[in-house]
Amino acid sequence: MTDTILDIDNLVVALGKTKNPNGPRILDGISIQVAKGETLCVVGESGSGKSVTSLTTMGLLPKNALHAVGGSVKLVGEELLTASDRRLRELRATRMAMIFQEPMTALNPVVPVGRQIDEVLRAHTSLDGRARRKRILDMMEQVHLPEVERIFASYPHRLSGGQRQRIMIAMALVLEPKLLIADEPTTALDVTTQKQILSLIRELQRDHGTAVLFITHDMGVVAEIADRVAVMRQGRLVETGPLDKILRDPEMDYTRNLLAAVPSLIPRPPRPETKEPVVLETNELGKVYRERSFLGKAREVVAAQNVTLTLRKGRTLGIVGESGSGKSTVARCIVRLIDPTSGGVRLAGHEISILTRRLLQPHRKRIQIVFQDPYRSLNPRLTVGESISEGPVNYGTPHDKAMARARELLELVGLPADAISRYPHQFSGGQRQRIAIARALALDPDVLVADEAVSALDVSVQAQVLELLDEIQRRLGIAILFITHDLRVAAQICDDVVVMQKGRIVEQGPAGEILTHPKEAYTKSLLEAAPGRNWDFANFRPVAEAVA
């Protein structure tokens, strides 16, 4: 291949404390190439080896755990596997750079973001302070950050998720490397921010001729940005080819299954309206955050305002919108993890918005929440059985009975019986989310709140968890409040949808009506920004052809 920037040939990575060619293989014979100005998307389920491929290229494999034991990785003809640590440090940022999935964990929380980009220039150039600052501000403007002087001096927590990701892109590209590796850079972003980041990467690639190795589990993103696609499974390359070939005519069943698992933007057939009782309702719910500066000046941020919604038993209500729209704030107010500033929350007929902690306690078991990251919400020091039984035991259930119920719930969510004595780190992300769902169900709640519960999962695991929630709802009649930025997911699980923007409800109604015939410009813009909206993945064709 002419103008090849990255050439990975028959790469083998093995597990072990020492470099042992006979150790368990994490990567087994991977061969891919990326040319100048080309975007290669590497897709596959969690554990397929996507990120290990990128970390091997960057020379960032964890010491005493993973070792490259065979093959070759060349960057513009230079072998990386035999390069010294010093040489790899020189190559990072100057010839290759990487954007990680979660910028908040990749950025130093106690250093302004401008200084963090400046560290790259100080380490790799001889520019003086004024020249470095000018280049940084120019780069920040190139990634379309507003008020660059203010953001230069801002700390990461002061920026939105999309702005932090733009800072990571600016840091990666400030020295114009020939190779950019993007490891799930849009997974946690809402659809409009995601669209902006993808357009930005395309624009910068066009301007600088950068080769991009883009790692993702989102086939919608693949359809938007890829020139070629490499599909991985269990450390092996399943198939590779041009984007159109992979989407229209995949050769392998695994690739076909990945595409078929992508949820459709077309809402599922509506379920008949029911006369089941209302289990949750909010009335003009509001939340205002008040911050006080060092000078004593008060600043108010309205996170939610006049939010009124109703949820009946056995139904699923989705709340969608961009980051900062107030979705999670409303969910946390409803669950009373934070106190609302105004309005009311009625749970199974009881007003809970004004109850003290002691009076609220009997009502907490009626409403439970499943968070986005199950690894952070499960106690790593407790076994799965202890985590699931903890709630019932706190409410007076005998330990043996609570553990028996935990076994039943593990069976309900499709996990083996021996899972009860294992720890969270011994499970995959999808399995941990199943455990979190089992824990939430242990108190037999009337309402289950799922706050971005599937956004970090790959498409096949996501489909399994959505199917699980649907099955649980049919069997138990539980009501689900589903918070998501993914309109595809909302289309497949929600009976009704509430669209929020800047803390307010823009429109609400049946999912089929809102997602196919939106009335508000904002809702239309959300649908227009959904990645891969022009592809009917399950039928391997563009939507236009399906309509024709």
Side-chain angles (χ1 to χ4, degrees), residues 52 71 144 148 181 201 255 293 296 315 440 525 531 540:
V52 174
H144 306 306
V148 292
I181 299 175
I201 291 174
T255 309
S293 69
R315 305 283 286 181
S525 70
F540 316 117

Side-chain angles (χ1 to χ4, degrees), residues 108-183:
N108 189 328
V110 297
V111 177
V113 295
R115 279 177 51 196
Q116 295 190 52
I117 301 175
D118 188 49
E119 289 176 11
V120 178
L121 294 178
R122 287 205 312 270
H124 296 284
T125 72
S126 57
L127 297 174
D128 61 26
R130 180 176 295 181
R132 294 198 307 271
R133 183 182 178 88
K134 182 179 184 304
R135 180 176 287 194
I136 293 167
L137 294 177
D138 288 345
M139 193 69 231
M140 290 171 71
E141 288 180 350
Q142 284 188 50
V143 299
H144 306 306
L145 281 165
E147 304 175 69
V148 292
E149 291 281 358
R150 177 184 65 81
I151 288 182
F152 182 96
S154 296
Y155 292 90
H157 72 275
R158 291 286 186 181
L159 307 180
S160 69
Q163 288 174 333
R164 287 195 292 265
Q165 199 60 283
R166 289 167 191 266
I167 289 294
M168 291 297 298
I169 294 172
M171 188 183 300
L173 295 180
V174 70
L175 292 177
E176 300 187 11
K178 295 183 180 295
L179 173 68
L180 174 66
I181 299 175
D183 189 358

Side-chain angles (χ1 to χ4, degrees), residues 405-417 468 471 475:
R405 175 62 173 155
R407 290 187 180 89
E408 293 174 3
L409 289 169
L410 286 172
E411 182 180 348
L412 178 67
V413 299
L415 288 176
L468 170 65
E471 179 187 347
R475 292 175 62 174

Side-chain angles (χ1 to χ4, degrees), residues 20-66:
N20 179 11
N22 298 317
R25 292 189 171 188
I26 305 301
L27 296 181
D28 192 0
I30 299 299
S31 296
I32 55 177
Q33 295 80 36
V34 191
K36 180 180 179 180
E38 179 186 46
T39 297
L40 173 69
C41 278
V42 181
V43 300
E45 296 173 294
S46 298
S48 63
K50 306 186 302 293
S51 293
V52 174
T53 303
S54 66
L55 292 174
T56 305
T57 302
M58 292 292 294
L60 295 175
L61 286 177
K63 303 293 185 184
N64 302 321
L66 294 174

Side-chain angles (χ1 to χ4, degrees), residues 499-511:
V499 183
M500 290 191 66
Q501 181 188 27
K502 297 179 180 178
R504 292 177 174 269
I505 292 179
V506 175
E507 63 177 313
Q508 59 181 312

